[in-house]
């Protein structure tokens, strides 16, 4: 989407992998959600900012 690699999907995958780790438990859900939110916000900001002219 928007010529970006599917980083959000990768973050969601990491969240799912962490959820399968028994030592993380339910906290893994929130860690995965936080990662997904941060990466999505970073991509949105990157899209909004104008490109630098070199």
């Amino acid at each position: 989407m928007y010529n970006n690699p599917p980083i959000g999907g990768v973050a969601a995958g990491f969240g799912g992998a962490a959820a399968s780790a028994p030592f993380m438990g339910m906290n893994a859900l929130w860690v995965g959600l936080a990662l997904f939110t941060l990466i999505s916000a970073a991509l949105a900001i990157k899209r909004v900012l104008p490109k630098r002219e070199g």
Side-chain angles (χ1 to χ4, degrees), residues 1-5 8 39-51:
M1 186 164 92
Y2 300 107
N3 293 328
N4 284 321
I39 293 172
S40 296
L43 287 177
I45 291 170
K46 184 180 172 190
R47 265 200 318 267
V48 168
L49 291 177
K51 292 188 176 180

Side-chain angles (χ1 to χ4, degrees), residues 24-50:
M24 283 292 280
M26 275 300 287
N27 287 337
L29 177 68
W30 301 113
V31 170
L33 193 61
L35 278 175
F36 176 77
T37 303
L38 288 174
I39 293 172
S40 296
L43 287 177
I45 291 170
K46 184 180 172 190
R47 265 200 318 267
V48 168
L49 291 177

Side-chain angles (χ1 to χ4, degrees), residues 2-20:
Y2 300 107
N3 293 328
N4 284 321
I7 297 175
V10 173
F14 276 124
S20 65

